């Protein structure tokens, strides 16, 4: 991902929080096998912060699970040529997380530059975080290591998505769904058909491309344009343009 300095977000805490709020990642691998070299799977991830993940994961870790029948898993197994309880890929994998809101930006929003010179073109506003890391695969749920990993992963993922994503916290809100609400034998069957994914984070990068590089009048035009557009996306991007613009201006003043 190309990250220009004006769009770069370098605060690790902000990037990790972005993942917590946008847990659906795209797991991308390049593996030499009889299958396609490049594989990608959309997978919701649990993020363990550095202080939660222990000394083996100084930058934190991602946890997930995907189907055993997934070609990406088959490529991993073929490349490793064995099926141990836990196996590790030699090369880094890439996981990309996209923000909830993105949108086309029309040149009509550039109210300062467009009438002045006409030198404007369309663009697209979006936010994204990417993680590079080392992947470990927990293959056989019948083994103690893989069984424990998958049980914890499924519990933690459902707890996070039910409470943080759906807002099911009990009290005045609905109670969250729990793994224990499903029959135990059914969960065991499900676990036999998935593999656990653990990624030790080695590098994390992110960008918020929200018109912060534009002239003040143009930026204000984009903010107002999306506010007029309305809806959840329009209001969200309008607020992001305003917020990222303030961050950009503050950095320029301290530079």
């Amino acid at each position: 991902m190309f990250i220009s300095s004006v769009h770069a977000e370098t605060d690790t805490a902000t990037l990790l929080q972005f993942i917590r709020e946008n847990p659906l990642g795209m797991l991308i691998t390049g593996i030499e096998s009889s299958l396609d070299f490049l594989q990608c799977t959309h997978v919701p991830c649990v993020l363990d912060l550095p202080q939660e993940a222990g000394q083996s994961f100084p930058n934190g870790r991602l946890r997930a699970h995907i189907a055993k029948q997934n070609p990406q898993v088959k490529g991993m197994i073929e490349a490793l040529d064995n099926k141990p309880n836990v196996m590790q890929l030699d090369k880094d994998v890439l996981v990309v997380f996209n923000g909830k809101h993105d949108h086309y930006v029309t040149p009509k929003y550039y109210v300062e530059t467009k009438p002045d010179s006409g030198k404007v073109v369309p663009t697209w506003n979006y936010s994204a975080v990417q993680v590079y890391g080392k992947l470990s695969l927990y293959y056989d749920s019948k083994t103690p290591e893989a069984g424990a990993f998958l049980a914890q992963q499924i519990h933690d993922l459902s707890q996070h998505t039910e409470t943080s994503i759906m807002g099911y916290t009990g009290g005045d809100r609905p109670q969250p769904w729990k793994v224990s609400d499903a029959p135990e034998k059914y969960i065991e069957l499900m676990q036999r058909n998935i593999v656990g994914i653990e990624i030790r984070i080695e590098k994390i990068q992110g960008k918020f491309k929200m018109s912060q590089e534009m002239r003040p009048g143009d930026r204000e035009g984009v903010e107002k344009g999306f506010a007029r557009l309305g809806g959840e996306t329009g209001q969200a991007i309008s607020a992001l343009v305003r917020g990222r613009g303030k961050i950009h201006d503050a950095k320029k003043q301290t530079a």
Side-chain angles (χ1 to χ4, degrees), residues 6-7 105-107 109-114 119-123 125 209-222 241 245 248-249 252:
V6 71
H7 297 140
V105 182
T106 172
Y109 286 168
Y110 300 139
V111 295
E112 183 176 349
T113 303
K114 184 177 182 295
K119 295 180 179 179
V120 292
V121 293
T123 190
N125 277 359
K209 183 179 178 297
M210 288 292 163
S211 302
Q212 59 265 54
E213 77 283 2
M214 303 303 296
R215 295 163 67 179
D218 292 332
R219 200 165 65 204
E220 183 178 357
V222 173
V241 170
H248 172 68
D249 292 344
K252 286 183 64 177

Side-chain angles (χ1 to χ4, degrees), residues 19-141:
I19 294 174
R20 280 267 170 94
E21 295 173 356
N22 303 277
L24 182 64
M26 292 183 289
L27 171 62
I28 302 166
T29 56
I31 299 174
E32 295 287 357
S33 70
S34 62
L35 304 169
D36 291 332
F37 175 73
L38 290 175
Q39 296 278 356
C40 176
T41 299
H42 287 76
V43 55
C45 296
V46 173
L47 169 67
D48 295 321
L49 300 174
Q51 60 268 30
E52 301 167 336
Q55 295 181 353
S56 298
F57 305 91
N59 300 314
R61 70 172 173 174
L62 299 173
R63 288 183 285 129
H65 61 271
I66 57 180
K68 280 185 179 178
Q69 295 303 311
N70 189 313
Q72 197 167 24
V73 173
K74 293 183 177 181
M76 294 179 195
I77 298 299
E78 184 178 323
L80 291 164
D81 197 29
N82 56 57
K83 295 182 180 180
N85 297 342
V86 181
M87 49 190 169
Q88 298 178 336
L89 295 180
D90 292 331
K91 295 183 178 180
D92 281 0
V93 300
L94 173 64
V95 188
V96 179
F97 300 89
N98 290 314
K100 291 183 178 68
H101 303 287
D102 64 273
H103 207 282
Y104 169 81
V105 182
T106 172
K108 292 179 178 293
Y109 286 168
Y110 300 139
V111 295
E112 183 176 349
T113 303
K114 184 177 182 295
D116 179 30
S117 68
K119 295 180 179 179
V120 292
V121 293
T123 190
W124 204 284
N125 277 359
Y126 66 95
S127 53
V129 169
Q130 62 183 22
V131 168
Y132 293 90
K134 296 296 184 183
L135 183 148
S136 296
L137 188 70
Y138 291 78
Y139 185 83
D140 187 354
S141 64

